């Protein structure tokens, strides 16, 4: 009898679930993501003994590599880990294989199908396959068509396809891509990946909100006055100019990662903890979200681009001076914006999103600011009393903290703010897994909870449509302000909040 991939609903959503026998096929195996993220994540799963022994990874790309070439290249990328765990690598690398494949060539697909059957026999992977499209985004649609045309997605219980970001470039292209993908596979077979959802602290937003009684009663417009979501990076564009020049921060970070954090922060409690119930609530809240001023979108968004900065010892080039970047580029490396969510819970509460490259710190966080006490009975030691805040620290220093007022020591009755914190590191003492570890395991388990459904991805694109249109039709209305590398973005982004009497949190 042939085992089929495990249904997540049957095994429940406990942490350690058993990944069924299968072959993970990576298209784009010669690319960066494979050796930087995917194979390291699989090796980690192997070391955690979460991969079955009936397992294979088949790398596919156009290069004419052999199995040994592939193993060697992956080994070079993982040299440090292998030095610590040589035996584990020896065992794991025996399950790595390679097949030269061009997805556009039908005879290659026939050869691929034959190789997969051979691997099923060799590694007892039982016809269960997860296809990972780590290829250039313009090939997502044709890649799915090619797999479906070769009959490789025909069995919804045994075949799945993982699609990297960006899923589309705007609302229209995301809709068109969804149509193609859905003609090739059932929605339950499709895993649109956003690696932020693999982060422990992003998932913790759900647990913090829905496993406690102290937060949820306050989690609404009656008690919360504003929400800030920040994803700050210290790195510049690195070697990714080719991709980044066509994307920019809005498409690269806001439409996906920040919007997913927004959805988890703002969604209603699901009726039960299962993939569809959660994704229904996320889709609903994104459908209710809109730019603070859709007609005059330039008023609620600031774009920036880093210019040269750093120190004498460590000078940093500006974005336009980075290798591969057009010296007159108007691609934004920074975005700040203001949104509202038009529903009973959030009406009138501003959500401020910001992200940027070459900022002074690497940090992602959600800051919920509560309404001030209606009456100030006490003088504040530091001037004005501060509003209570709940800060969800997504990375680094994963955890959460609450800021509240206490009596300042001394004879008077003055208040001053203090922090009460929780740190993953201190409480659990072990580093969390990389997002890809969790997400690859979930995809191989068939658990779609942490993957974006077709309606969610469309709602996320629709939210930013007025801005994308403006940038395309009249870019002068939404200029790219320069900001010096290693500063907190252009001054205009401070004005966005100053108009509401607020400031960005400076961690
Ligand atoms: C990727 C973006 O999705 O996320 C990159 O394409 C960005 O530009 C990266 O640097 C940030 O991820 P993390 O996990 O380092 O915050």
């Amino acid at each position: 009898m042939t085992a089929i991939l495990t249904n997540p609903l049957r095994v429940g959503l406990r942490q350690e679930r058993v990944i069924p026998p299968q072959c993970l096929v990576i298209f784009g195996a010669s690319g960066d993501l494979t050796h930087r993220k995917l194979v390291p994540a699989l090796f980690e799963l192997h070391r955690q003994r979460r991969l079955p022994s009936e397992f294979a990874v088949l790398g596919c790309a156009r290069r004419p590599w052999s199995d040994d070439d592939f193993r060697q290249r992956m080994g070079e990328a993982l040299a440090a880990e292998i030095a610590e765990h040589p035996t584990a690598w020896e065992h794991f690398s025996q399950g790595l294989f390679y097949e030269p494949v061009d997805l556009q060539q039908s005879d290659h697909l026939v050869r691929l199908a034959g190789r997969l059957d051979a691997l099923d026999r060799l590694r007892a992977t039982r016809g269960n396959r997860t296809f990972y499209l780590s290829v250039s985004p313009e090939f997502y649609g044709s890649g799915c068509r090619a797999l479906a045309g070769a009959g490789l997605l025909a069995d919804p219980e045994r075949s799945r396809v993982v699609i990297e970001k960006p899923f589309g470039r705007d609302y229209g292209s995301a809709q068109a891509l969804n149509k193609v993908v859905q003609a090739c596979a059932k929605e339950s077979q499709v895993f649109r990946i956003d690696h932020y959802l693999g982060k422990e602290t992003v998932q913790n937003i759900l647990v913090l909100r829905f496993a406690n009684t102290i937060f949820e009663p306050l989690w609404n417009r009656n008690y919360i006055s504003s929400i800030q979501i920040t994803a700050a990076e210290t790195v510049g564009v690195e070697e990714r100019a080719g991709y980044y020049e066509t994307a920019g921060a809005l498409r690269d970070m806001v439409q996906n990662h920040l919007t997913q954090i927004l959805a988890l922060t703002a969604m209603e409690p699901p009726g039960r903890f299962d993939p569809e119930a959660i994704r229904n609530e996320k889709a609903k809240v994104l459908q209710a979200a809109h730019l603070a001023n859709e007609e005059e979108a330039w008023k609620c968004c600031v774009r920036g681009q880093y210019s040269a900065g750093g120190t004498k010892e460590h000078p940093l080039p500006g974005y336009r001076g980075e290798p591969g970047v057009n010296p007159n580029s108007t691609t934004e490396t920074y975005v700040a914006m203001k949104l509202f969510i038009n529903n009973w819970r959030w009406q009138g509460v501003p959500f401020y999103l910001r992200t940027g490259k070459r900022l002074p710190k690497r940090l992602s966080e959600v800051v919920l600011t509560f309404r001030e006490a209606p009456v100030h009975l006490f003088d504040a030691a530091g001037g004005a009393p501060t509003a209570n805040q709940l800060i969800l620290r997504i990375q680094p220093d994963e955890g959460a903290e609450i800021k509240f007022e206490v009596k300042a020591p001394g004879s008077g009755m003055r208040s001053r703010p203090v922090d009460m914190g929780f740190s993953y590191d201190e409480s659990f003492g072990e580093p969390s897994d990389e997002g890809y570890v969790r997400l690859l395991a979930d995809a191989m388990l068939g658990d779609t909870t942490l993957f974006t459904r077709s309606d969610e991805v469309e709602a996320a694109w629709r939210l930013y449509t007025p801005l994308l249109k403006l940038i395309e039709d009249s870019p002068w209305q939404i200029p790219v302000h320069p900001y010096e590398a290693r500063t907190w973005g252009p001054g205009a982004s401070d004005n966005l909040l100053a108009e509401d009497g607020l400031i960005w949190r400076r961690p």
Side-chain angles (χ1 to χ4, degrees):
M1 206 177 82
T2 320
I4 58 170
L5 296 174
T6 317
N7 177 344
L9 300 183
R10 260 182 279 141
V11 289
L13 287 153
R14 284 193 319 270
Q15 190 148 22
E16 305 308 345
R17 293 160 293 171
V18 181
I19 295 169
Q22 68 189 288
C23 181
L24 178 75
V25 185
I26 304 175
F27 296 103
S30 58
D32 246 26
L33 189 74
T34 305
H35 66 80
R36 277 187 42 227
K37 300 285 184 189
L38 303 182
V39 173
L42 291 166
F43 186 42
E44 177 62 29
L45 286 170
H46 173 78
R47 291 201 296 108
Q48 292 179 9
R49 299 181 191 285
R50 297 191 50 210
L51 290 181
S53 48
E54 305 92 342
F55 183 73
V57 177
L58 180 63
C60 297
R62 278 183 288 194
R63 297 195 192 174
W65 289 348
S66 65
D67 292 343
D68 282 340
D69 292 336
F70 184 54
R71 286 174 193 156
Q72 190 193 329
R73 277 161 206 271
M74 296 305 119
E76 284 162 12
L78 274 158
E81 287 88 338
I82 296 171
E84 278 181 47
H85 309 282
T87 321
W89 174 256
E90 202 174 303
H91 192 234
F92 172 76
S93 62
Q94 285 165 15
L96 298 182
F97 303 89
Y98 184 85
E99 182 71 31
V101 174
D102 178 348
L103 277 171
Q104 311 306 311
Q105 314 258 356
S106 50
D107 55 324
H108 287 207
L109 268 300
V110 174
R111 189 157 33 79
L112 171 66
R115 182 82 199 265
L116 287 170
D117 289 341
L119 280 178
D120 276 341
R121 291 191 292 275
L122 184 70
R123 303 284 297 179
T125 44
R126 306 186 198 183
N128 294 326
R129 286 147 195 180
T130 299
F131 298 99
Y132 199 117
L133 290 181
S134 171
V135 294
S136 181
E138 65 262 31
F139 298 120
Y140 294 162
S142 57
C144 286
R145 275 206 204 101
L147 290 172
L152 293 170
L153 296 176
D155 186 341
E157 298 291 338
R158 290 203 174 81
S159 56
R160 298 179 180 134
V161 58
V162 182
I163 304 179
E164 260 297 331
K165 63 146 234 195
F167 193 92
R169 284 188 55 73
D170 51 24
Y171 180 43
S173 55
Q175 275 183 314
L177 184 54
N178 268 332
K179 274 208 184 105
V180 173
V181 172
Q182 285 164 341
C184 299
K186 293 194 167 153
E187 184 62 35
S188 60
Q189 291 173 273
V190 181
F191 293 73
R192 296 174 196 79
I193 196 163
D194 181 313
H195 81 277
Y196 263 58
L197 288 175
K199 293 182 193 281
E200 203 84 77
T201 39
V202 172
Q203 295 156 33
N204 184 45
I205 298 174
L206 289 180
V207 180
L208 190 105
R209 290 189 57 193
F210 304 134
N212 296 299
T213 52
I214 56 173
F215 299 115
E216 201 48 27
L218 310 181
W219 209 271
N220 57 53
R221 63 196 297 272
N222 298 328
Y223 293 94
I224 292 177
S225 63
S226 70
I227 295 184
Q228 294 183 12
I229 300 176
T230 296
E233 298 187 87
T234 51
V235 292
V237 67
E238 300 176 290
E239 289 86 41
R240 301 166 68 222
Y243 151 73
Y244 201 82
E245 276 282 271
T246 63
L250 185 53
R251 289 189 169 93
D252 184 50
M253 292 290 290
V254 179
Q255 181 275 339
N256 38 60
H257 308 325
L258 269 71
T259 306
Q260 287 299 322
I261 297 176
L262 169 83
L264 294 176
T265 305
M267 68 188 251
E268 295 298 318
R272 53 183 193 280
F273 191 59
D274 82 23
E276 293 324 311
I278 289 169
R279 300 198 303 175
N280 286 345
E281 296 306 336
K282 283 171 64 198
K284 261 159 57 185
V285 81
L286 292 180
Q287 283 152 8
H290 61 93
L291 297 177
N293 188 341
E294 288 197 316
E295 281 71 46
E296 300 172 307
W298 63 89
K299 290 191 175 162
C300 56
C301 174
V302 172
R303 296 198 301 150
Q305 186 189 72
Y306 64 84
S307 53
T311 58
K312 240 188 197 162
E313 297 75 41
H314 301 289
L316 295 166
Y319 178 69
R320 293 178 185 185
E322 298 274 22
V325 171
N326 173 354
N328 299 315
S329 172
T330 54
T331 301
E332 78 281 348
T333 61
Y334 178 99
V335 176
M337 68 170 71
K338 178 176 167 185
L339 306 171
F340 283 115
I341 295 176
N342 209 353
N343 64 14
W344 277 61
R345 186 185 283 264
W346 296 116
Q347 185 65 41
V349 178
F351 285 73
Y352 302 98
L353 271 46
R354 74 174 157 165
T355 183
K357 291 200 182 282
R358 281 274 188 255
L359 301 187
K361 270 192 180 173
R362 173 173 184 258
L363 139 138
S364 299
E365 63 177 24
V366 181
V367 182
L368 298 101
T369 302
F370 291 85
R371 297 199 182 279
E372 284 183 19
V375 191
H376 295 307
L377 286 180
F378 313 107
D379 288 339
T386 50
N388 299 147
Q389 286 186 324
L390 172 63
I391 297 150
L392 312 178
R393 294 195 308 265
I394 288 166
Q395 65 187 21
D397 189 17
E398 289 89 352
E401 71 193 63
I402 300 180
K403 288 192 179 303
F404 55 99
E405 297 279 316
V406 296
K407 180 185 173 300
S411 57
M413 282 297 275
R414 298 197 309 159
S415 72
R416 69 177 298 164
V418 290
D419 297 340
M420 191 163 73
F422 145 71
S423 139
Y424 262 92
D425 193 27
E426 276 169 29
S427 300
F428 300 110
E430 54 181 70
S432 349
D433 286 336
E434 250 274 340
Y436 277 99
V437 174
R438 169 69 194 253
L439 294 177
L440 273 173
D442 281 6
M444 293 190 285
L445 281 156
D447 182 349
T448 51
T449 313
L450 298 175
F451 295 83
T452 317
R453 205 170 57 188
S454 57
D455 50 348
E456 269 184 78
V457 84
E458 288 181 18
W461 279 118
R462 188 168 35 204
L463 174 55
Y464 304 109
T465 295
L467 268 179
L468 292 167
K469 213 171 144 18
L470 194 66
I471 293 171
E472 200 174 310
D473 297 347
S474 35
W476 64 90
Q477 282 192 302
I478 183 146
V480 178
H481 300 276
Y483 62 96
E484 198 183 312
R486 290 273 190 276
T487 62
W488 281 105
S493 79
D494 293 332
N495 301 343
L496 187 70
L497 270 72
E499 282 166 16
D500 298 336
L502 299 172
I503 51 169
W504 290 109
R505 193 175 108 87
R506 286 280 148 86

